[in-house]
Amino acid sequence: MTMISTNLQTVRNRIDAACLAAGRASGSVQLLAVSKTLGPETVAQAFAAGQTAFGENYIAEAVHKIQALAALPIEWHCIGPIQSNKTRLVAEHFAWAQSVDRFKIAQRLSEQRLTHLPPLNVCLQVNVDAGANKSGVTPDELQTLAHAVAALPNLKLRGLMCIPEPAPDFAAACAVFAKAQALLVALNRSGLSLDTLSMGMSADLEAAIHAGSTLVRVGTAIFGGRAPSPAGA
Ligand SMILES: *Cc1c(COP(=O)(O)O)cnc(C)c1O
């Protein structure tokens, strides 16, 4: 077995154990492998080990990778900041955009989605711990944004994504993730039907699963350390 396949198995075991501990069905949490800064050959290795969903932060870098791996049935998720001038690339190349936090971006993604593709799956990034200088819609503005985005024709609003600051311990991490879960429940009570709560990374996926995560985004625990971000990304 390669190191990547061993690591993937370890992460899948952690997810299963966390589901068991939380009294949740194993299989209720999807694993997204975060492959930012890694080359297409590394993604191909993880794919060969059974991983089919990959998350990317840097859009231009991701598009090269997506094109290089076009022969593989990979589900690509955009999880990094989306500027207006990058919406077309996201709309044309990705299955999911998890990091939408403004109506203007959602509107452009809907307008630019290619008509032969299924609707772009969207999560709204929410700033649950009010981290300074962080992207994400505030909890106060979420309800209005969610209903506006849900009405756009070529998008399918699936849920919420959050990236809280690292918490000092398990209980504190659970408390922050529980805020995101409560926001999702409130949106569903207000008439939406959202099924995705994207939260939890290498260091805190157990707490996220405890609090109701349905999709964990894991990079380092699968691929090891990363090279620095590409310049200009
Ligand atoms: C890099 C990144 C991850 C993965 O983080 P690890 O700590 O390497 O698991 C998850 N989500 C987002 C948005 C990221 O940028």
Side-chain angles (χ1 to χ4, degrees):
M1 293 223 293
T2 66
M3 185 186 76
I4 288 174
S5 71
T6 307
N7 290 349
L8 270 170
Q9 194 53 54
T10 303
V11 171
R12 291 189 193 115
N13 291 346
R14 281 176 64 190
I15 293 171
D16 286 348
C19 285
L20 190 67
R24 299 181 53 191
S26 119
S28 60
V29 178
Q30 197 197 342
L31 173 59
L32 184 72
V34 176
S35 47
K36 61 187 176 206
T37 78
L38 300 167
E41 63 293 338
T42 307
V43 175
Q45 276 180 42
F47 182 85
Q51 179 62 33
T52 54
F54 291 84
E56 290 283 339
N57 292 58
Y58 311 108
I59 293 162
E61 178 210 326
V63 168
H64 288 293
K65 228 177 285 186
I66 292 169
Q67 286 169 336
L69 296 168
L72 302 181
I74 289 175
E75 182 179 88
W76 293 100
H77 293 230
C78 176
I79 61 171
I82 306 173
Q83 263 76 50
S84 296
N85 64 354
K86 295 278 167 47
T87 52
R88 184 175 298 282
L89 289 175
V90 175
E92 292 183 350
H93 295 281
F94 285 83
W96 285 69
Q98 293 197 13
S99 38
V100 173
D101 62 0
R102 284 180 289 153
F103 183 69
K104 182 187 165 198
I105 296 297
Q107 203 172 24
R108 290 174 65 91
L109 290 171
S110 181
E111 281 166 13
Q112 294 169 343
R113 185 65 170 170
L114 297 175
T115 49
H116 69 271
L117 293 177
L120 181 68
N121 296 290
V122 164
C123 289
L124 299 178
Q125 183 176 347
V126 56
N127 189 351
V128 271
D129 58 351
N133 306 319
K134 281 226 321 237
S135 35
V137 60
T138 64
D140 288 348
E141 297 163 336
L142 178 62
Q143 185 85 232
T144 306
L145 178 63
H147 283 271
V149 171
L152 291 170
N154 301 320
L155 306 184
K156 185 166 168 49
L157 183 61
R158 297 294 297 269
L160 303 178
M161 186 270 255
C162 65
I163 320 173
E165 295 295 321
D169 57 40
F170 184 79
C174 289
V176 175
F177 287 132
K179 289 187 194 172
Q181 156 75 4
L183 291 168
L184 189 83
V185 168
L187 290 173
N188 281 337
R189 288 220 184 92
S190 76
L192 298 175
S193 41
L194 309 180
D195 60 10
T196 301
L197 195 49
S198 170
M199 58 188 193
M201 316 201 297
S202 294
D204 57 10
L205 67 89
E206 283 83 3
I209 290 172
H210 182 85
S213 172
T214 67
L215 186 153
V216 291
R217 309 177 309 268
V218 178
T220 339
I222 298 172
F223 298 111
R226 280 183 291 268
S229 313

